[in-house]
């Protein structure tokens, strides 16, 4: 108790005996006013931590966005995760300490150091939540998707948690009931009877405030499967085939992104297609580069530091072909992805020698391996000489490569009529257009962000026989969701891990889920009733003993002469039900 009180109140001196507990609360008015702020900080930090953990699929994108502003590549997402985790652990510790001190009937006093920290936690978490709601609003859809996947498991776990919670709830409710009965037994005078009525009302209110929410939450958990939807709960024979993989910039966890090594690694891992980003050099050579400048993935800071902020399209190919595009991946102590496996010495040496490839080199790899190719085609800047002809230039390069036309999935939305006339075999793919527009433009494929699965799982597109590719899927649980949602293909950075998944995670049949639901409902109800009964039985036995002691002591007092003194500590030792004035 000294340790708990020291952590909570910063009072480390040992207390010889407990402070008497107040009838209905164990803290002062000031502490009661501040305690809701502590609860608020706990919920804010916990929700923020849950949100950030569930959006781990977006960590690399977040690090890239921060890099654009800070110009320093680091795992900023993990730094933020650590900070939020520390805040959540801190507020959770204070809430648990407060509960334990109340349980042991100690008066609460939160030190002002903790109060200042709690307010800082509220401000910081509110600021981060505002940023998420304002600038990253679509990331909340990831939370919805995770709840769809984990809904059956959260439901079953919540029932188990309510069984554990029923122990302190039962103890508190029955303790309040016992206190009310003892006060009714002790108070006989008219004035004390009125005071007892007021106290009894407060005790009943406390019982309702604690017991009713517990009962309502438990009943909701018992019937929540009627309103639960999870794509991963379905019959085995209705499970769609495993989605195909498009290597996002190749296999960027195995080789430097958008390099020959990366694309060859993706082919080795069994990729169905290769995804890349195409820009046009100043002398009209299509090359592969994702960023608008060359700072992150080349050594331009060593070769030409004054031009490092220049857009990639404003360099000639003769210069671009001399830049190294692999040392940043092989030699940097901070890797592009957290948890990447270390490279072998041969792969490390190969990565060090990578250059920026041309589009024609990617097409050659795809032609030999018979892999599909999809790419984002960046519009050149206004003053670029290929500003008005870049579509025709890229189509010409593709046709010159002699790749089979059906292997090209054409994503750019400009000049589709021209592309169809020059290359009728290209497979055109659209964004999240309406089905009417897709039908009008004769598009049978769409390439959409995975977060759009939240809206009814894109069922209307599947019903219209539209082939769906979702990006960017790196986490196994998200890939399992896409699989259970009958998605045809996914674009991923993590092909070497996802290809090893032979069955979707968190999959269960409706019959098994129903069995577990009914079984846990019955089992939890039996346990909760048994817990309430055992605590009630124990409290009833204690109450009978205390009533007998109270009756005997009252007779002794009535028969004793007025000058006979009965020490207070003797009555206090008889039982906590006595409330004897000090001068009795």
């Amino acid at each position: 108790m000294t340790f708990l009180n020291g952590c909570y109140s910063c009072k480390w001196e040992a207390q010889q005996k407990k402070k008497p507990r107040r009838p209905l609360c164990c803290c002062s008015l000031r502490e009661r006013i501040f305690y809701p702020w502590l609860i608020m900080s706990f919920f804010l930090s916990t929700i923020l931590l849950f949100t950030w953990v569930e959006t781990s699929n977006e960590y690399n994108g977040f690090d890239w966005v921060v890099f654009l502003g800070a110009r320093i590549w680091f795992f900023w997402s993990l730094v933020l995760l650590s900070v939020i985790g520390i805040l959540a652990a801190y507020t959770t510790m204070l809430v648990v300490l407060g509960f334990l001190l109340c349980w042991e009937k100690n008066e609460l006093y939160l030190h002002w150091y903790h109060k200042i920290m709690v307010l800082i936690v509220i401000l910081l978490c509110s600021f981060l939540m505002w940023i998420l709601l304002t600038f990253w609003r679509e990331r909340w859809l990831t939370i919805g998707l995770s709840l769809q996947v984990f809904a059956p498991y959260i439901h079953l776990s919540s029932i188990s948690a309510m069984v554990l919670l029923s122990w302190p709830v039962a103890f508190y409710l029955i303790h309040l009931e016992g206190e009310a009965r003892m006060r009714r037994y002790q108070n006989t005078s008219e004035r004390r009877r009125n005071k007892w009525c007021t106290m009894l009302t407060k005790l009943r209110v406390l019982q309702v405030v604690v017991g009713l929410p517990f009962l309502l939450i438990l009943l909701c958990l018992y019937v929540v499967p009627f309103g639960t939807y999870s794509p991963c709960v379905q019959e085995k024979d209705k499970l769609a085939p495993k989605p195909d993989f498009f290597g996002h910039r190749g296999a960027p966890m195995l080789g430097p992104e958008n390099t020959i090594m990366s694309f060859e690694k993706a082919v080795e891992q069994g990729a169905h297609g290769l995804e890349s980003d195409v820009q046009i050099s100043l002398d009209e050579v299509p090359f592969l580069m994702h960023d608008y400048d060359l700072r992150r993935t080349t050594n331009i800071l060593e070769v030409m530091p004054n031009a490092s902020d220049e857009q990639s399209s404003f360099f000639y190919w003769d210069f671009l072909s001399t830049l190294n595009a692999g040392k940043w991946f092989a030699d940097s102590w901070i890797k592009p992805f957290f948890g990447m496996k270390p490279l072998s010495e041969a792969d490390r040496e190969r990565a060090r020698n990578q250059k920026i490839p041309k589009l024609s080199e990617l097409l050659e790899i795809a032609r030999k391996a018979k892999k599909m190719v999809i790419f984002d085609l960046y519009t050149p800047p206004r003053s670029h000489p290929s500003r008005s002809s870049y579509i025709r230039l890229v189509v010409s390069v593709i046709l010159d490569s002699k790749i089979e036309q059906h292997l090209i999935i054409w994503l750019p939305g400009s000049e589709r009529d021209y592309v169809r006339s020059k290359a009728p075999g290209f497979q055109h793919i659209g964004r999240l257009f309406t089905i009417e527009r897709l039908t009008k433009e004769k598009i049978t494929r769409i390439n959409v962000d995975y977060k759009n699965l939240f809206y009814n799982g894109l069922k209307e597109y599947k019903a219209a026989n539209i082939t769906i590719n979702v990006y960017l899927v790196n986490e196994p649980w998200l890939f399992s969701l896409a699989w259970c949602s009958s998605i045809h293909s996914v674009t991923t950075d993590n092909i070497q891990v996802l290809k090893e998944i032979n069955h979707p995670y968190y999959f269960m049949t409706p019959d098994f889920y129903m069995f577990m639901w009914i079984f846990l409902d019955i089992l939890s109800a039996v346990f909760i009733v048994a817990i309430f009964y055992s605590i009630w039985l124990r409290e009833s036995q204690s109450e009978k003993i205390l009533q007998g002691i109270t009756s005997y002591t009252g007779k002794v007092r009535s028969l004793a002469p007025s000058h006979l003194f009965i020490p207070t500590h003797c009555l206090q030792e008889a039982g906590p039900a006595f409330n004897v004035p000090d001068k009795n």
Side-chain angles (χ1 to χ4, degrees), residues 57-86:
N57 191 78
E58 306 290 331
Y59 283 177
N60 187 258
F62 177 82
D63 295 337
W64 179 72
V65 170
V66 176
F67 168 80
L68 295 180
R71 295 295 186 179
I72 299 175
W73 182 264
F74 194 70
F75 298 127
W76 302 108
S77 54
L78 296 181
V79 172
L80 186 57
L81 176 64
S82 302
V83 171
I84 298 173
I86 292 172

Side-chain angles (χ1 to χ4, degrees), residues 57 77 111 150 194 216 232 267 273 285 288 356 358 373 376 383 385 440 464 472 479:
N57 191 78
S77 54
H111 197 273
F150 301 115
N194 293 335
L216 292 178
C232 293
V267 172
V285 176
L288 309 183
I356 299 175
K358 295 188 290 187
V373 176
D376 284 309
S383 56
K440 181 179 179 181
L472 181 65
F479 176 70

Side-chain angles (χ1 to χ4, degrees), residues 24-43:
L24 296 178
C25 188
C26 55
C27 56
S28 64
L29 178 61
R30 181 176 60 184
E31 295 300 315
R32 277 181 277 171
I33 292 175
F34 189 81
Y35 203 77
W37 293 94
L38 175 58
I39 299 298
M40 182 190 301
S41 68
F42 165 73
F43 279 109

Side-chain angles (χ1 to χ4, degrees), residues 151-299:
Y153 299 89
I154 293 175
H155 165 235
L156 300 177
S157 302
S158 298
I159 293 178
S160 303
M162 292 299 289
V163 173
L164 298 177
L165 187 61
S166 65
W167 187 273
V169 170
F171 182 87
Y172 189 68
L173 293 178
I174 295 173
H175 176 73
L176 291 177
E177 181 65 24
E179 187 172 350
R181 290 183 179 180
M182 291 304 299
R183 289 180 180 276
R184 182 193 311 162
Y185 186 82
Q186 287 180 329
N187 298 311
T188 55
S189 65
E190 185 67 26
R191 184 171 61 86
R192 298 187 69 180
R193 189 180 294 112
N194 293 335
K195 185 178 179 182
W196 167 79
C197 290
T198 304
M199 184 63 65
L200 180 62
T201 302
K202 293 180 179 180
L203 291 172
R204 295 305 185 199
V205 170
L206 272 179
Q207 286 180 309
V208 172
V209 168
V210 174
L212 185 60
F214 176 82
L215 180 61
L216 292 178
I217 293 173
L218 187 63
L219 292 177
C220 288
L221 288 175
Y222 282 164
V223 300
V224 75
F226 290 114
T228 300
Y229 166 73
S230 176
C232 293
V233 178
Q234 57 177 289
E235 299 293 347
K236 289 184 178 180
D237 56 353
K238 293 183 179 180
L239 183 63
K242 183 177 180 178
D244 295 322
F245 297 109
F246 279 84
H248 185 236
R249 307 173 202 167
M253 292 188 181
L254 304 176
E257 66 178 63
N258 279 329
T259 61
I260 298 301
M261 176 183 177
S262 181
F263 292 117
E264 289 179 348
K265 288 288 186 181
V267 172
E268 292 173 6
Q269 296 295 324
H272 178 70
L274 306 174
E275 188 275 346
S276 187
D277 311 276
V278 177
Q279 301 190 44
I280 311 297
S281 68
L282 204 57
D283 51 348
E284 300 185 338
V285 176
F287 66 97
L288 309 183
M289 178 63 59
H290 173 266
D291 294 6
Y292 284 99
D293 59 49
L294 304 167
R295 293 172 59 98
R296 183 173 65 91
T297 58
T298 71
N299 62 336

Side-chain angles (χ1 to χ4, degrees), residues 315-359:
F315 292 95
Y316 289 97
W317 174 248
D318 289 341
F319 172 74
L320 292 172
S321 62
T322 64
L323 295 176
N324 186 289
K327 286 185 177 180
W328 69 277
F329 182 88
D331 297 336
S332 176
W333 67 278
I334 302 177
K335 302 302 181 184
F337 295 91
F338 181 77
M340 276 179 50
K341 292 184 178 180
L343 299 175
S344 65
E345 192 56 40
D347 284 343
R348 189 183 303 277
E349 185 61 29
R350 184 184 178 190
R352 289 193 188 102
N353 298 319
Q354 293 300 300
K355 302 291 185 180
I356 299 175
K358 295 188 290 187
L359 173 61

